[in-house]
Amino acid sequence: NGLFEDNDETISIEEGDLQKEVVITGNRITTSKNGIVVVGNRSNQVIAGNTIEHITGVAISVSDPHSSFLIDGNTISTGSRGILVSDGNGTIVNNLVSRQTSDGIVVAGKTQILIAFNTVVHSVIGFASQNTKAQFLNNIAYGNTTAGFQALRQKNDIGYNIAYHNGVNFEMVDYGSFHDLGGNAVIDPLFVSDTDYRPTATSPCINASGLFTTTYDVLGDLRDGLPDIGAYEWSLSNPL
């Protein structure tokens, strides 16, 4: 097993390094080419609670058709590409990705992926599925210059997502399409500010999720019985 904590530089795990379980948590990685890279490891992978910023390559990259993974509660800001999964089966949940010069969260290859309760803002493409089938539930895409959600060459399930102020909110490219599960909206999520992506008390994100639930938000705070859409949970104990 491998446990990686409190690192401040690129964490790279390649084929043959470890074979059972990899846990990468609580690291702050800044001003590097890549953040966390896991390739061909044939393991269960947990990448959670990391802060990654000013990356010129990819903040989190997973490529392993034989693995299962959980990418949970990471904060990624000011870089090139946020989260890239090019092979593997798993869940991307409760992540905040902001200000990327390419994709916020992109999945490709032979994957079965649930992407839920993430917030992607001020990037080029918020969420992208490239030639793979994915399920997008309870996410926010805001202020992305090309597209909020993009489907390329495959049909993707989407439900209870909010897209607003993107170049195109829901874009279908080269025979890609969306299967609408309901609850999707083009509406202002009403963040605290343009740099603080928590919902305010009047946000349409509050108690508006569906089809999937999660226990904690990106900060590790407990979610309500009906969680809010996006990476953050609004709470009466911390009203804004």
Side-chain angles (χ1 to χ4, degrees), residues 98-113:
S98 65
R99 303 184 186 279
Q100 304 297 300
T101 59
S102 182
D103 310 307
I105 297 176
V106 58
V107 295
K110 297 178 180 179
T111 57
Q112 295 182 15
I113 299 179

Side-chain angles (χ1 to χ4, degrees), residues 33-37 52 55-61 80-84:
K33 180 179 180 180
N34 295 306
I36 297 168
V37 180
I52 306 172
I55 300 299
T56 59
V58 183
I60 296 175
S61 177
S80 177
R81 174 173 278 178
I83 297 172
L84 168 64

